[in-house]
Amino acid sequence: MMLQTLIDAVRQQYAPDKRTVLFQVEALGHVLSGETNLPEAKAALLERLQAANIPFQDSIHVLPAPDLEGRHRALVTISVANLRTQPKHAAELATQATLGTPIQVWKKDGTWYLVQTPDEYIAWVDAGGITLLDSAGFKNWQQSPKLLYTDPYGFAYAAADGNGATVSDLVYGDVLVLEGEQAGFYKVVFPDGRTGYIPSGSGVLYEDWVARRQPTEENLVQTSRRLMGLPYLWGGTSFKGVDCSGFTKTVYFMNGLVLPRDASQQIHLGEVVDTAGGWQQLRPGDLLFFGVPAAEGKPERVVHVGMWLGEGMTFIHASGRVRISSMNPEAENYDAYERGRFLRAKRIRPQDALLDLRAASLYE
């Protein structure tokens, strides 16, 4: 019992959110089995057991797994990779990652890999969606010039001909290596070595794109309206479909800031905006969170998020599709359901984000 208590205490300290940290350790008698991606968590557990004079046999594996043979990094090599909760296509869609996204690889199961995205989310991806790299290969990719695709949706072509065969579809935010220019097209290289051509008006040098990111109220609102009408997709974080937190995450990404994946994680960012007396203190770009308040010993449940627009007491959110609703009972688009489960609002500053791409070397 004491052994399990110490395991639970270390898990609570080092891995309170299993979506972002692995600490799957259990005790069978005095044998410790399982795995973690935090060496310090394992070390802390063993130290506590030794201090308590509890005998144990250590069979805890520290990831990355050795059968990866040093290929601990990967790049997404299709327009949008679907990451799932389990290593099978029938499993729930957990999140998505766009082409060129660098990810950490922890282990494999058949043709599936357990990976961690830049927003720290851990999920499984099919081998067909990524290219594995060792540290030298990843460094070489980082040092190559990049192009970021800026159309909501389009294609890379097999030749500098927009009417020809395609190599891949593309969505906003896809990142490829830029090899050159030819006849009004950029020649690009995919992470798996394929080459293609993108119309010059559909992409921009990544360094120029990131230098122009300004997460102002006006830009956040303008960006959010570019996603109007996108279908709701549980686990979606791209122009192919978004869920509620995938929508807010995409809006902020398009303005240079990387937010956590889920609404229940995003709510911990930024500063609370006072809404006790009404909506007057809210500014465009503030995030609104909805759910069930804590009561009778049960914790708060955050289940939905949207973004404040302001005019007409409106907010934009992914619910069925990306659409605009109002908090004004007199408005035609008044959303009584969301008003009834509103929890609180938060203002996100650049320093609150997981990554500010203007200062981070995520793609370079």
Side-chain angles (χ1 to χ4, degrees):
M1 190 66 176
M2 180 64 173
L3 183 55
Q4 188 61 51
T5 299
L6 289 176
I7 292 173
D8 292 342
V10 170
R11 179 181 294 110
Q12 182 59 37
Q13 179 180 353
Y14 288 89
D17 189 342
K18 64 182 181 180
R19 294 169 293 186
T20 59
V21 183
L22 283 170
F23 188 77
Q24 298 171 344
V25 175
E26 61 180 359
L28 298 174
H30 291 293
V31 178
L32 298 175
S33 63
E35 59 190 12
T36 181
N37 65 338
L38 283 183
E40 58 268 35
K42 174 180 175 178
L45 175 60
L46 301 189
E47 182 179 335
R48 294 187 189 189
L49 292 174
Q50 291 168 347
N53 292 317
I54 298 176
F56 64 89
Q57 178 182 330
D58 174 21
S59 293
I60 302 172
H61 300 292
V62 176
L63 302 176
D67 60 356
L68 293 173
E69 300 177 341
R71 296 185 299 171
H72 302 155
R73 302 305 302 267
L75 297 169
V76 174
T77 195
I78 56 178
S79 63
V80 178
N82 293 324
L83 278 61
R84 301 190 178 276
T85 56
Q86 298 178 50
K88 55 185 179 181
H89 287 290
E92 176 186 354
L93 182 63
T95 190
Q96 295 178 319
T98 50
L99 193 154
T101 299
I103 52 182
Q104 174 74 42
V105 184
W106 294 119
K107 66 176 182 177
K108 66 178 181 178
D109 183 347
T111 60
W112 290 80
Y113 290 87
L114 186 66
V115 300
Q116 190 160 22
T117 56
D119 58 13
E120 302 178 357
Y121 216 78
I122 297 173
W124 292 91
V125 65
D126 168 24
I130 61 172
T131 291
L132 296 175
L133 298 172
D134 57 19
S135 57
F138 182 70
K139 183 177 181 180
N140 181 63
W141 178 84
Q142 278 193 308
Q143 293 175 343
S144 302
K146 306 293 192 313
L147 185 81
L148 184 135
Y149 193 75
T150 54
D151 284 351
Y153 188 77
F155 298 92
Y157 297 93
D161 177 6
N163 296 314
T166 62
V167 176
S168 173
D169 69 327
L170 297 171
V171 300
Y172 185 103
D174 284 348
V175 174
L176 306 102
V177 168
L178 176 61
E179 192 169 273
E181 294 185 60
Q182 177 182 331
F185 284 77
Y186 289 115
K187 184 178 182 181
V188 296
V189 182
F190 287 71
D192 59 2
R194 289 175 296 160
T195 59
Y197 294 83
I198 295 173
S200 57
S202 300
V204 62
L205 285 171
Y206 175 77
E207 60 182 14
D208 293 342
W209 176 84
V210 77
R212 295 201 296 264
R213 296 307 92 192
Q214 294 294 332
T216 61
E217 295 176 7
E218 180 181 359
N219 286 343
L220 289 168
V221 169
Q222 183 179 24
T223 298
S224 72
R225 291 181 181 274
R226 289 190 65 186
L227 278 68
M228 279 287 289
L230 282 188
Y232 182 92
L233 174 65
W234 179 271
T237 62
S238 74
F239 269 86
K240 291 190 176 183
V242 290
D243 60 19
C244 65
S245 54
F247 166 70
T248 52
K249 177 178 170 59
T250 299
V251 170
Y252 271 79
F253 170 81
M254 290 170 70
N255 286 279
L257 302 180
V258 176
L259 302 187
R261 171 64 187 89
D262 293 341
S264 58
Q265 298 169 315
Q266 293 176 7
I267 197 171
H268 297 299
L269 300 182
E271 58 182 355
V272 175
V273 181
D274 184 9
T275 55
W279 313 104
Q280 299 86 347
Q281 301 301 316
L282 287 173
R283 300 297 307 169
D286 290 346
L287 297 186
L288 278 61
F289 294 92
F290 307 84
V292 182
E296 299 179 357
K298 295 182 179 180
E300 175 183 79
R301 290 181 58 238
V302 181
V303 299
H304 190 60
V305 59
M307 194 187 84
W308 190 250
L309 296 178
E311 184 178 354
M313 297 167 58
T314 56
F315 64 99
I316 185 169
H317 59 139
S319 178
R321 65 180 186 279
V322 176
R323 58 189 178 89
I324 295 174
S325 299
S326 177
M327 289 295 192
N328 181 1
E330 305 301 320
E332 184 177 342
N333 58 342
Y334 174 57
D335 197 326
Y337 177 69
E338 298 299 356
R339 176 64 185 90
R341 63 175 186 166
F342 173 73
L343 294 172
R344 57 189 174 278
K346 303 293 288 288
R347 183 162 300 153
I348 312 298
R349 304 159 299 179
Q351 61 266 35
D352 299 321
L354 290 179
L355 288 173
D356 184 337
L357 295 177
R358 297 169 298 178
S361 55
L362 181 60
Y363 294 96
E364 56 190 5

